[in-house]
Structure formats: structure tokens, C-alpha cells
Amino acid sequence: MIIKIHILGGAGSGKSYIAEQLNKKLNIPHFDLDDIFWDNAAGEYGVKASESERDSRLKQIVEQPSWIIEGVYIRWLSSSFSYADKIFVLKTPISIQEKRIWSRYEKRKSGKLPSTKKETLDSVKELINWNRSYNQSTLPNFIRNSAYKNKIIQIRDNNEIFRFITSK
């Protein structure tokens, strides 16, 4: 299947999980925008990649025949949104997202979940505050004002994506 899928949602909404499921089912490459936006080779947490490096890597991805891109980012992704066949917006309840954020942090700190991320307790608290604003303001504003409204599909259950993909 040749399809380009962009998945948006807050931290802990299930973007990575559903992108991995789609990758397995459809055999389409999956890209996590955190790997493009952040410099994971930096010695500390929260260092951004240069805009030119980030944009170059995104260009390489969107020029492929099929892809699944997932992340929270909006502002620098017009090429991804314009190339996408469908833009799924995960509307997972914030309480579930926050539970997942804490669980992921605890698993990374204990070594149960391998990660290149170097989070701190303070950075997780900042993420939770940022995520609330993202879900309550940034994401609704994007949906309301987007030039890509005809591609946006809002879902509450990640598995709903399969219904939309198989009906293509």
C-alpha cells in the first residue's frame, strides 16, 4: 500500500504505539519527529537539532513513496502536512496521557525501557505542563485554522485509524 500518514497528538497520546502497529500491518516506514527535532547525541537533555539539519531530514522522509510520521510538532511541518494523505489527530484524554508520561519516565529511569533521552524529574513536570497547553490550545487552534482540514481526522481510540486506512 502506498500511503502517507501523519499522526499528531500530545505526549503520551499513543502516537508511537499506533505508528508501530501501522508499520507492522502495512509495512510502511515509521518516523518519530523527536528523532529529527532533538539532538539525541548532545550531552544533555533538551538540545534541539539545527533547523537546517531538521528540515533536511524531514525533506528526505516526505519524498519517500510511503511513510508514517508521528509527533507533537506543528509549526515547521507544512511539507509533511501537504504531502500527507491523512492527518490523524489523537484526542486521548489528558489524564491518560499524563499517566503514560510518568510511566515512561519511571521505566526509562529504572532501565526497563531503553532510551537515549536524558530526562529529569523537572523536565517531566515541564512536559506535563506543556502537554496540557498543547492539548487545550495549540492542537485545537491547529485543527480550527489548518489549511489541511480536508485531511484531518480526529480520533479518540487509536485503533480507529485502521478503519480509515482500510477504507482508503
Side-chain angles (χ1 to χ4, degrees), residues 3-165:
I3 189 168
K4 297 176 180 178
I5 301 167
H6 194 113
I7 303 171
L8 281 173
S13 63
K15 300 176 304 294
S16 297
Y17 171 79
I18 198 63
E20 289 171 12
Q21 297 303 307
L22 287 168
N23 166 266
K24 290 175 187 173
K25 183 175 176 81
L26 304 174
N27 197 29
I28 296 173
H30 156 225
F31 301 93
D32 181 341
L33 291 173
D34 279 347
D35 294 335
I36 295 171
F37 188 79
W38 299 106
D39 181 355
N40 290 326
E44 60 187 79
Y45 183 73
V47 177
K48 296 177 184 176
S50 73
E51 286 185 26
S52 61
E53 176 66 22
R54 175 196 76 193
D55 293 347
S56 173
R57 292 171 69 192
L58 180 63
K59 184 178 186 292
Q60 291 172 356
I61 293 168
V62 299
E63 290 178 345
Q64 295 183 34
S66 291
W67 43 257
I68 302 161
I69 294 175
E70 55 94 355
V72 297
Y73 310 98
I74 293 173
R75 292 191 183 114
W76 52 278
L77 292 170
S78 60
S79 64
S80 170
F81 295 141
S82 65
Y83 280 101
D85 296 308
K86 297 187 186 303
I87 303 168
F88 291 101
V89 178
L90 303 182
K91 304 290 282 187
T92 309
I94 292 174
S95 60
I96 293 173
Q97 292 180 40
E98 290 179 2
K99 182 179 176 183
R100 290 174 179 169
I101 291 167
W102 281 114
S103 175
R104 184 171 50 207
Y105 170 72
E106 290 168 359
K107 288 177 183 173
R108 286 176 178 158
K109 283 299 184 187
S110 70
K112 292 179 184 174
L113 181 64
S115 176
T116 59
K117 306 205 187 307
K118 301 164 186 79
E119 303 133 306
T120 65
L121 186 58
D122 286 340
S123 69
V124 173
K125 290 177 183 176
E126 289 173 17
L127 174 60
I128 285 176
N129 287 330
W130 176 89
N131 197 50
R132 287 179 187 158
S133 174
Y134 178 84
N135 278 281
Q136 294 167 350
S137 179
T138 305
L139 201 51
N141 286 337
F142 169 74
I143 294 165
R144 186 172 39 257
N145 301 316
S146 178
Y148 309 102
K149 286 182 184 178
N150 62 325
K151 298 179 182 187
I152 295 174
I153 301 167
Q154 298 180 61
I155 60 172
R156 291 202 177 277
D157 178 351
N158 296 355
N159 290 320
E160 284 183 60
I161 289 178
F162 290 106
R163 182 169 46 103
F164 288 100
I165 298 301

